[in-house]
Amino acid sequence: MSDTQIPSTLIDVGGSRRSFLRRSALLSGAAVALLGGVPLRGIAAHNDAQASSDVNILNVALGLEHEGIAAYQIGAGSGLLDKPTLAVASLFLSHHEGHREVLMGAIKKMGGTPVAAKTTDEYKASEKLNVKAIKTAADVLRLAQRLELGAANAYIGVMPSFTDRSLSQVAGRLIADETMHWTALTQALGEALPKPTLSFGA
Amino acid sequence: MAAGSGRHRPYNILEASMRIHRGIGLLTATLLLPLVSSAAADAKRGEKLYTGRCGACHSIADNGAGPRHRGLFGCKAGTQAGFNYSDALRKSGIVWDDQTLDRWLADPNKMVPGNSMAVQLASDPTDRADLIAWLRAATTGEGSCQRAGSAGQGQSAAHR
């Protein structure tokens, strides 16, 4: 899979699954810290309808994170990725698991119920992920690239709708992660970065 | 004719003719505008925009965070089977066509306050025209929504 390998100079990660799991556990702490650092100060001042609107948006975002996690897990388990690429995919997976915790924490804090993930079989059967069409490592990366772009744009699109501005800050940090992933995946696929300025969102 | 002047203004054939021509011109422009817009729209670019901006929540075949789009044109808004819509959209009375989609994509919250699609990703008219051109081509086929003029097939009891 040399044509789709993510250069180690671009993202320096250790390779093993065990270290990925350790990092994942650390990220859980980081996720809590992220939420702790952004204490949703405005929530108390908001009425139920505004809080409900914010919870609905966060739950849509959580659904996308669940889907992203499933896609990375499916990709990582496909046997198509070489070791360095698998390490980067595992790192990105752990970021999305961290996002999931941030979003679930925020939803609970606001009195909402976090949306549950679908089963792996349901994700595999979805037309959107189109898992059955994945034949090569490049296909795995293209799926991840597509989901990262969609997630970045979705977060950008909902930012003006948050009634609690501290949630916009959380969204901004999530967007930065998604964009970092998209950029690495795009370079790994040998594709050019966008020429126009302001190429994300609308 | 000046109201209350007590005198009839002479009929000016030239002025009347010009008015008629201006009227025809305006009518023609109004009628042709959608054709010009759709002819100029780039469905291929629209597909890329759909994938990048709508694809996180929508697909043609499956309900996800947003409803499926199969059979979109002619659907009553908020009636795609198996998707949990907001009351606001379900009660909006909107039927999806080029014009309603253009307004929706420009600002869903402005068109239907309180709906669940709290996202603005097509503020540019060209983007919207391209997206709509793509949707016209890609969403053909049997949908599972309530069609305009019908009385409720495809309506799921699960809809809010």
Side-chain angles (χ1 to χ4, degrees):
Chain A
M1 211 219 49
S2 58
D3 59 325
T4 56
Q5 200 172 91
I6 296 177
S8 57
T9 50
L10 185 62
I11 301 168
D12 185 16
V13 290
S16 76
R17 180 81 186 163
R18 191 172 299 157
S19 65
F20 151 62
L21 291 172
R22 275 201 304 273
R23 277 195 305 276
S24 194
L26 284 173
L27 246 157
S28 302
V32 172
L34 173 62
L35 190 57
V38 182
L40 308 181
R41 288 184 197 91
I43 291 302
H46 286 189
N47 63 37
D48 286 349
Q50 287 172 322
S52 171
S53 165
D54 284 350
V55 166
N56 288 341
I57 295 171
L58 293 175
N59 256 327
V60 170
L62 178 58
L64 299 183
E65 295 293 348
H66 284 317
E67 186 179 59
I69 289 165
Y72 274 106
Q73 286 172 336
I74 291 166
S78 68
L80 294 166
L81 302 181
D82 64 14
K83 209 170 173 182
T85 307
L86 179 61
V88 175
S90 297
L91 175 66
F92 291 178
L93 168 59
S94 75
H95 291 165
H96 286 290
E97 289 169 335
H99 297 171
R100 177 185 61 192
E101 291 186 42
V102 167
L103 293 167
M104 287 177 76
I107 290 164
K108 286 177 184 169
K109 205 165 182 173
M110 296 169 71
T113 304
V115 67
K118 296 178 184 174
T119 66
T120 304
D121 284 344
E122 284 176 305
Y123 286 118
K124 282 183 175 173
S126 84
E127 185 214 57
K128 182 181 166 189
L129 297 188
N130 199 15
V131 170
K132 61 180 180 294
I134 293 176
K135 308 290 182 203
T136 67
D139 293 337
V140 174
L141 298 187
R142 277 196 197 92
L143 170 60
Q145 180 198 37
R146 174 164 59 86
L147 295 180
E148 299 287 4
L149 176 63
N153 280 332
Y155 281 125
I156 291 168
V158 298
M159 275 182 80
S161 299
F162 282 122
T163 57
D164 185 321
R165 293 177 65 185
S166 61
L167 290 172
S168 295
Q169 186 186 4
V170 174
R173 299 181 74 180
L174 296 170
I175 292 164
D177 277 357
E178 316 292 9
T179 309
M180 169 181 65
H181 298 170
W182 180 87
T183 304
L185 292 161
T186 298
Q187 297 224 312
L189 285 162
E191 296 175 6
L193 294 175
K195 281 184 183 169
T197 187
L198 302 176
S199 59
F200 287 83
Chain B
M1 187 180 86
S5 68
R7 294 179 60 197
H8 288 284
R9 187 176 161 198
Y11 186 73
N12 185 331
I13 186 74
L14 182 61
E15 188 180 315
S17 172
M18 284 176 71
R19 276 188 193 153
I20 289 167
H21 275 96
R22 274 201 298 268
I24 290 172
L26 187 64
L27 180 65
T28 306
T30 305
L31 290 173
L32 287 180
L33 188 59
L35 296 176
V36 171
S37 298
S38 60
D42 183 347
K44 199 165 184 177
R45 181 172 176 271
E47 181 180 11
K48 285 186 180 174
L49 291 173
Y50 182 84
T51 302
R53 296 187 191 172
C54 314
C57 296
H58 293 280
S59 74
I60 302 300
D62 297 331
N63 287 326
R68 72 172 70 89
H69 283 145
R70 177 83 68 216
L72 175 67
F73 287 79
C75 273
K76 290 182 181 174
T79 66
Q80 194 75 266
F83 189 80
N84 230 6
Y85 288 94
S86 63
D87 278 346
L89 190 62
R90 197 165 49 81
K91 293 175 181 173
S92 67
I94 292 167
V95 175
W96 295 122
D97 59 22
D98 288 6
Q99 284 73 34
T100 52
L101 280 169
D102 184 68
R103 287 173 56 210
W104 173 257
L105 291 169
D107 191 343
N109 284 323
K110 187 176 175 186
M111 187 176 182
V112 185
N115 87 87
S116 298
M117 193 169 123
V119 61
Q120 294 168 29
L121 281 171
S123 55
D124 180 77
T126 304
D127 289 353
R128 294 200 297 278
D130 291 350
L131 272 167
I132 292 166
W134 158 250
L135 285 167
R136 269 229 172 262
T139 62
T140 53
E142 197 65 27
S144 57
C145 65
Q146 190 179 329
R147 315 299 298 178
S150 69
Q153 75 271 24
Q155 179 73 30
S156 163
H159 290 173
R160 281 187 298 181

